Amino acid sequence: MSLKKQFVKTKPVCKVTFSIDAKDADSAAVVGDFNNWNVEEGALSKLKNGTFKATYDLVKDAIYEFKYVIDGIYVNDPEADFYKWNDYAGSENSVLVV
């Protein structure tokens, strides 16, 4: 799993690339505060090497909770900036600071 942040100097956004290695998976998505936890909006494209990947423009100076959904299973990113407990889900969410 990997998070890559690229700040845009001319706009108040950060291009964040989410990628996750899931060779045996049929589908993967990233869901979070930035897309209303919507699996369809967070669909990741599968590359030939088995990695799922997508880049999103996120507003700078913000904190986002997120998770990956791999074949319907919610998974945290081990490279997240930190983790935050979510009472609704009964588990921790990954947190991204941009």
Side-chain angles (χ1 to χ4, degrees):
M1 294 180 224
S2 174
L3 288 172
K4 180 181 172 190
K5 303 174 192 176
Q6 182 179 6
F7 291 91
V8 179
K9 292 180 182 177
T10 58
K11 296 180 184 178
V13 299
C14 178
K15 292 186 175 294
V16 179
T17 301
F18 296 91
S19 61
I20 184 165
D21 184 24
K23 291 177 178 58
D24 297 329
D26 293 321
S27 66
V30 61
V31 295
D33 297 334
F34 51 86
N35 65 6
N36 294 314
W37 298 87
N38 185 310
V39 173
E40 288 80 26
E41 287 184 29
L44 302 175
S45 300
K46 189 170 188 177
L47 306 178
K48 290 180 182 180
N49 67 1
T51 299
F52 286 84
K53 188 175 187 178
T55 301
Y56 295 91
D57 287 350
L58 302 181
V59 176
K60 282 195 318 191
D61 302 322
I63 297 172
Y64 301 96
E65 290 185 37
F66 74 99
K67 282 191 180 249
Y68 292 104
V69 183
I70 303 169
D71 288 343
I73 308 290
Y74 287 81
V75 179
N76 276 323
D77 189 323
E79 295 182 17
D81 293 324
F82 61 94
Y83 302 95
K84 182 177 178 184
W85 181 259
N86 181 292
D87 285 333
Y88 179 78
S91 67
E92 287 185 327
N93 288 335
S94 300
V95 177
L96 172 68
V97 179
V98 292

